[in-house]
Amino acid sequence: MRGVRPLLVPAAIHACAGVVALACLASVLWNGLEDRPVALAFGALVTLGELTRRAGAEDREAAPLGAAGALAYALLGEDAGQPTHHGVAQTVTVVLAASLAGGVPHIARGGGPLPDQMARRVLTVAFAAVCFQPLSGQGTFRDWCGPAHALLLLALLALTALCDALLAAAPAHARTGWPFGPLLREELRGMAGITSAVCATGAVMALAVAVAGLWALPVFSVPLLLTQLSYRRYAAVRATYRQTIASLARATEIAGCTPPGHARRVAELGVAVGRELGLSGPELTVLEYAALMHDIGQLSLVDPVPAGATAGLPVAEQRRIALLGGAVVRQTGVDAAVAVVVERQADPCAEQPVAARIVRAVNAYEEKARDAGPTGALTALEELRLTTAGDYDPEVVESLARVLSRGRPGLSDRVRAG
């Protein structure tokens, strides 16, 4: 049952999106297509957005132009001063059909929109359309002009963004068991970037088409395409930056100072513990980089530490190695916050930043558990718990235990009992 429960929330979201999509398609097939030029124009825009989707992207707004076009169509009430009549069902059907059409080339190459992304697109567009289209069709907003209409669209987009954040955080919480609140906050914080640009562009598109007609679509699509190009370059730079840090982290393995894969395992487990403790995206990035480079100070040692196990060294020696590592990190040009975590990982627990406490506890766990056999994980956790008075943060150790219990079903009951 433990393996089934994490699938219930994503499956429910997919099922809900499927029911909405089928109901909308049936309605359009029964009633026909209204305002065909408008439907074709917005369908083409969403298709173009999907065709320019970032290949392999799994993060938020992989296809910003398609998302903006979908939101604009959901919030469109007029075309060059003439009321539109496409309604909720047609909005969802056109957006879904265009998204699938634009995703075909990506799917053929083994990529394309993920089921979660497609379900979120259907449900968020349906939510925005339900909030706007029925009232617009009744002429409720006909006398709303200028700032009032713009503020209305922005308010609806804010609600839609909140709906999208909930749809993103809920499956992540179900699959990983990480706290829902921090996941939702991270999604909302992430919307300050390209998501806000998508929402603003969607609102401007809807307003512009209402006044100038469909010719406004290509004009307002260009800025978002340029933004997407810049974002791709930024993502490429970040990927190169991370690869550089990973290469520096492997230097200790190549030199024989640490076992193969040690830094990567500490980083992966450390980030999981950080999420369990509610750290945000930027804090998790600093934590990951610091965990990858936490042993780099060993490169300065004349006599290597056996198996790179620094947790058993005297405190003074641990601090010396940590300070050497921080100095090396500063010379590489990496963020100074990463160097602070590296050089303070051996400080007294009460004086450490949270990221340093996590790196210290996870590194000690990994060193104690890796060669201890089947019961190594439980034994290592018990050792950490027995020394939490001054060496390791009890909250970090308990968060580590929860992460391990979810990742290793056979260990779950014994970890809780301990």
Side-chain angles (χ1 to χ4, degrees), residues 38 42 72 75-84 132 141-142 144-147 149-150 153 202-217 219-220:
V38 178
F42 277 93
L75 300 178
L76 184 68
E78 293 183 353
D79 173 21
Q82 299 299 317
T84 55
F132 182 82
F141 306 131
R142 192 163 300 165
W144 292 43
C145 58
H149 194 189
L153 295 187
V204 170
M205 281 182 177
L207 291 171
V209 171
V211 176
L214 297 176
W215 290 107
L217 287 181
V219 175
F220 288 96

